[in-house]
Amino acid sequence: MLTVKTLYATDPETAKGLDTAGIRDRFHVADMFADGEIRLTYTHYDRMIVGAAVPAGKALTLDAVAETGTETWLARREAGILNIGEAATVTAGGESYELARGDMLYIGLGAGPVTFAGQGRFYIVSTPAHRAYPTTLIKPEDANEVKLGSAETANDRTIYQFIHETGVKSCQLVMGYTKLHGGSVWNTMPAHTHDRRMEAYLYFDVAEGQRVFHLMGEAQETRHIVMASEEAVLSPPWSIHSGVGTGAYTFCWAMAGDNMAFTDMDMLAVADLK
């Protein structure tokens, strides 16, 4: 079963006037992971698609998506697939790939239908593409590790860069995940924006009963969204994207836009946030 919903872009002036429900309706993506289903959200932020496939021991095939207007969803797109469940299989372009928990698969333009099988919980991100790069399986040990923060500021974390300008090649998709270490709860703080790229976060490994308070909005007009495990949030180019949890967690980040430079960001001092 395939379900697709559409989210339109929101400008910062409109966002200022939204209540809690309005903020969640426009930026929060919940209920993606459903047994036996593929659920996608087609966004009007750089035409990024986010979603999930949960085969639940069977096989699910993602082929045509009407919202893309193409014969197959990857006819003019590329994709990143992250498995946050048990070891399982993804088949694309006639090849099958075994993804353990924490593995990521980059799928290039024109790969055709993609089949998900086994007990995996697959997070899907897709962006428009202009050329075909090789489909590549990336394991955490192959990713570029960047250690940031400290225990003293409660943001000791490791960034794992999988699809990026000096790693696995893509047209515009940049993707990886960040693990918060024990006792640390803040991510992406000090905060930043990058007006040249949008971003999406998937929060996972959030313990039962715990939550992450995702911060968004302009630096002088911040808002928050309360996030449970396996929920995603969209970050417009004009918005900060940071968060603090009631315990440690992991989040997958994915970006699309004008460039692939991970460090292309406009930093903001903590004291300047309101």
Side-chain angles (χ1 to χ4, degrees):
M1 173 189 259
L2 171 64
T3 303
V4 184
K5 91 175 201 183
T6 298
L7 281 180
Y8 293 96
T10 302
D11 68 275
E13 286 301 313
T14 299
K16 288 179 184 179
L18 296 175
D19 62 9
T20 298
I23 289 285
R24 293 178 74 85
D25 285 345
R26 290 172 182 254
F27 303 104
H28 180 237
V29 183
D31 302 320
M32 287 186 294
F33 292 84
D35 286 355
E37 296 186 34
I38 299 172
R39 295 184 177 182
L40 305 178
T41 297
Y42 181 95
T43 86
H44 282 252
Y45 294 107
D46 289 289
R47 304 288 168 170
M48 179 183 279
I49 292 173
V50 299
V54 185
K58 299 180 180 179
L60 295 173
T61 297
L62 180 53
D63 189 1
V65 175
E67 285 73 8
T68 68
T70 55
E71 186 175 350
T72 67
W73 71 298
L74 292 178
R76 295 179 59 84
R77 285 181 165 270
E78 58 190 358
I81 311 292
L82 169 65
N83 183 17
I84 62 172
E86 297 178 23
T89 302
V90 178
T91 301
E95 298 286 335
S96 291
Y97 303 87
E98 186 80 11
L99 275 68
R101 178 178 171 83
D103 288 354
M104 191 175 293
L105 182 68
Y106 169 78
I107 305 176
L109 176 147
V114 177
T115 299
F116 306 88
Q119 296 294 338
R121 299 178 74 78
F122 298 103
Y123 177 54
I124 303 165
V125 180
S126 176
T127 53
H130 61 273
R131 62 166 291 182
Y133 284 102
T135 296
T136 305
L137 175 63
I138 321 118
K139 294 188 170 293
E141 56 265 30
D142 301 323
N144 182 48
E145 289 190 26
V146 180
K147 296 186 182 298
L148 291 176
S150 68
E152 289 74 18
T153 49
N155 63 354
D156 182 23
R157 61 201 191 274
T158 301
I159 298 173
Y160 296 87
Q161 300 171 336
F162 286 76
I163 305 167
H164 60 108
E165 61 179 347
T166 60
V168 171
K169 299 297 182 186
S170 70
C171 291
Q172 68 164 324
L173 178 62
V174 181
M175 191 169 173
Y177 53 79
T178 300
K179 286 181 175 286
L180 276 292
H181 300 303
S184 286
V185 292
W186 279 101
N187 78 70
T188 324
M189 182 59 71
H192 63 262
T193 60
H194 31 72
D195 196 52
R196 295 149 294 280
R197 290 175 295 168
M198 60 80 63
E199 190 161 5
Y201 276 17
L202 170 75
Y203 287 101
F204 62 103
D205 289 346
V206 181
E208 183 71 26
Q210 303 302 306
R211 293 293 185 268
V212 176
F213 288 72
H214 177 85
L215 302 182
M216 62 159 295
E218 295 176 289
Q220 306 298 307
E221 273 294 340
T222 59
R223 300 289 187 271
H224 74 268
I225 301 176
V226 181
M227 309 287 299
S229 198
E230 298 188 351
E231 294 183 347
V233 63
L234 301 175
S235 180
W238 49 265
S239 175
I240 67 167
H241 35 280
S242 178
V244 60
T246 56
Y249 53 93
T250 305
F251 66 97
C252 177
W253 41 266
M255 294 178 277
D258 273 334
N259 65 48
M260 299 182 65
F262 188 86
T263 56
D264 178 18
M265 58 186 73
D266 302 312
M267 297 302 299
L268 297 161
V270 176
D272 291 336
L273 299 177
K274 292 185 179 177

